């Protein structure tokens, strides 16, 4: 029997994260019930799609030799990607440099081997009537910050010469209603999510990206244990080939990614197709860049890696590039499969 390969994401599978899973999973894996598990039996070997999208499949992971794949939602510290890697619960996870760096410094033998987003999606969204356009504008204002985003928010402050006392941090969840209701002045958000959903509800807003203000971290990084790189290199390369093929499809057809999120994988979420399409397009702007056009999706240049190491120091995470990143596997993938760059 082919073993199940478990993959995890940092945030839970909510409306924010569903789109990127449907974009990848719908294009690359296919099959109903994919968010729970998927394998060879769930794919349509002929490809193509049915009207409801449930058999939209390219079979990339099946081609790569993965007989069964289970997607596991992450969340609290005890169920984080890094905790799952440490216990062996997962084989590969979607995480972030600031989270993985902390775990590595605490002794976890893990590396980032690729990145989905070239530019992190974190933003401060605010009312257009009382805009917060820069970190400096946050001074003296109330900012809603979720528990899982405290680290990166404080890194934003530090990277811009500010302290926690310069703002009033209001503990928050992910529903931005407090911003719309005027309870806070700013909100930590994903640029691919809250600004779009708030606009759809009639709340005029503006935002600035963390990445544009001294915090150019990548995001949705693919992280594995060092043992996977050392002992399962060919399997990891096969996974990356399938992943790249899936993301190429998602980037090429964001409307289909959105449709899959609304009509198939997130059908019970009652999502709006127009809104999800806008989110898919916004997501693609983070996935592709001049560097990925030259080097391929999921890659990082040496310059971008160094920018991330510098940014991590703002979060008081003193780590070296060699400790945190290993892009050698991905480089081998593109060397062996030059057509993937097209």
């Amino acid at each position: 029997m082919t073993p199940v390969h478990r993959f995890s994401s940092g945030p839970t599978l909510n409306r924010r994260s569903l789109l990127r899973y449907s974009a990848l999973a719908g294009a690359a894996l296919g099959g109903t019930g994919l968010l729970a598990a998927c394998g060879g039996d769930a794919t349509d070997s002929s490809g193509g799609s049915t009207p409801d999208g449930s058999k939209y499949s390219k079979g990339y992971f099946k081609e790569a030799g993965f007989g069964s794949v289970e997607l596991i939602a992450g969340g609290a510290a005890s169920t984080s990607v890094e905790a799952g890697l440490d216990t062996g619960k997962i084989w590969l996870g979607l995480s972030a440099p600031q989270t993985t760096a902390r775990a590595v410094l605490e002794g976890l033998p893990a590396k980032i081997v690729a990145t989905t987003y070239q530019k992190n999606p974190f933003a401060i969204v605010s009312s257009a009537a009382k805009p917060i356009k820069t970190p400096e504008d946050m001074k003296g204002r109330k900012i809603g910050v979720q528990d899982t985003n405290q680290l990166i928010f404080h890194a934003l402050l530090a990277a811009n010469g500010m302290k926690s006392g310069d703002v009033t941090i209001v503990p928050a969840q992910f529903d931005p209603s407090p911003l719309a209701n005027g309870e806070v002045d700013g909100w930590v958000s994903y640029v691919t999510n809250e600004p779009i959903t708030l606009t759809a509800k009639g709340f005029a807003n503006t935002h600035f990206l963390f990445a544009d203000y001294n915090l150019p971290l990548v995001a949705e990084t693919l992280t594995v244990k060092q043992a996977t790189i050392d002992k399962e290199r060919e399997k990891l390369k096969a996974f990356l080939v399938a992943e790249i093929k899936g993301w190429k499809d998602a980037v090429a057809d964001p409307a289909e990614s959105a449709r899959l999120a609304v009509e198939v994988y997130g059908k019970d979420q009652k999502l709006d197709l127009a809104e999800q399409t806008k989110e898919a397009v916004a997501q693609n702007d983070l996935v592709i860049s001049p560097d990925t056009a030259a080097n391929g999706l999921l890659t990082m240049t040496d310059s971008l890696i160094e920018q991330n190491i510098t940014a991590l120091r703002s979060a008081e995470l003193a780590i070296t590039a060699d400790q945190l990143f290993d892009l050698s596997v991905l480089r081998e993938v593109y060397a062996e499969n030059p057509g993937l760059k097209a």
Side-chain angles (χ1 to χ4, degrees):
M1 178 180 292
T2 306
V4 173
H5 291 85
R6 294 179 170 84
F7 310 100
S8 177
S9 72
T12 50
L13 281 174
N14 53 23
R15 294 181 184 220
R16 168 179 286 183
S17 55
L18 180 61
L19 179 61
R20 68 176 179 271
Y21 269 98
S22 66
L24 167 63
L29 293 169
T32 57
L34 180 62
L35 296 179
C38 179
D41 294 340
T43 58
D44 173 12
S45 60
S46 65
S49 63
T50 57
D52 69 355
S54 62
K55 290 189 180 297
Y56 184 88
S57 170
K58 298 293 181 68
Y60 296 144
F61 280 87
K62 185 177 181 180
E63 288 176 14
F66 291 90
S68 185
V69 174
E70 180 180 2
L71 300 181
I72 301 173
S78 60
T79 57
S80 71
V81 164
E82 288 72 20
L85 288 170
D86 191 31
T87 61
K89 182 179 180 180
I90 62 171
W91 184 70
L92 177 146
L94 282 178
S95 190
Q98 66 272 17
T99 308
T100 304
R102 174 178 281 180
V104 169
L105 291 171
E106 291 174 352
L108 178 68
K111 293 282 178 62
I112 292 170
V113 296
T115 187
T116 311
Y117 290 171
Q118 293 285 300
K119 194 174 185 178
N120 79 75
F122 281 103
I124 296 295
V125 61
S126 58
S127 167
K130 297 180 180 179
I132 297 175
K133 297 181 178 180
T134 68
E136 186 75 14
D137 289 346
M138 292 192 297
K139 288 187 174 180
R141 312 286 286 276
K142 295 180 180 178
I143 309 297
V145 186
Q146 305 79 13
D147 285 345
T148 54
N149 293 331
Q150 291 285 344
L151 177 63
I152 195 167
F153 180 72
H154 282 87
L156 174 71
L157 295 178
N160 290 277
M162 297 171 62
K163 300 178 181 179
S164 299
D166 291 334
V167 302
T168 300
I169 297 175
V170 179
Q173 301 299 319
F174 287 97
D175 179 358
S177 295
L179 175 63
N181 296 337
E183 298 170 35
V184 295
D185 303 303
W187 193 262
V188 174
S189 75
Y190 264 22
V191 70
T192 54
N193 188 257
E194 285 89 341
I196 296 170
T197 60
L198 287 166
T199 297
K201 294 177 180 178
F203 182 77
N205 63 84
T206 188
H207 67 269
F208 73 82
L209 287 170
F210 287 26
D212 291 338
Y213 287 90
N214 305 319
L215 210 65
L217 295 169
V218 293
E220 305 300 332
T221 47
L222 280 67
T223 303
V224 299
K225 292 189 75 172
Q226 182 65 48
T228 298
I229 298 173
D230 296 338
K231 300 178 181 179
E232 298 182 288
R233 196 175 187 88
E234 293 305 312
K235 184 190 296 184
L236 181 56
K237 285 160 66 174
F239 174 87
L240 290 171
V241 168
E243 181 99 335
I244 291 164
K245 289 179 178 179
W247 272 109
K248 285 179 69 175
D249 287 349
V251 166
D253 196 353
E256 178 64 6
S257 298
R259 190 185 71 79
L260 288 168
V262 173
E263 298 179 7
V264 184
Y265 306 118
K267 192 172 183 178
D268 62 340
Q269 296 290 312
K270 308 298 182 183
L271 304 173
D272 178 79
L273 181 59
E275 181 180 305
Q276 292 299 304
T277 301
K278 290 178 181 177
E279 292 189 17
V281 172
Q283 174 177 260
N284 284 354
D285 287 342
L286 302 173
V287 173
I288 58 177
S289 71
D291 288 335
T292 62
N295 304 314
L297 295 176
L298 309 187
T299 57
M300 291 181 69
T301 63
D302 290 342
S303 175
L304 184 56
I305 288 174
E306 285 305 318
Q307 290 175 43
N308 273 255
I309 295 301
T310 299
L312 288 171
R313 294 194 190 106
S314 297
E316 299 183 352
L317 294 169
I319 194 167
T320 66
D322 289 343
Q323 284 178 290
L324 186 59
F325 296 98
D326 186 342
L327 276 293
S328 65
V329 181
L330 189 59
R331 292 185 184 117
E332 286 179 20
V333 164
Y334 278 112
E336 296 167 5
N337 303 271
L340 286 177
K341 290 185 181 180

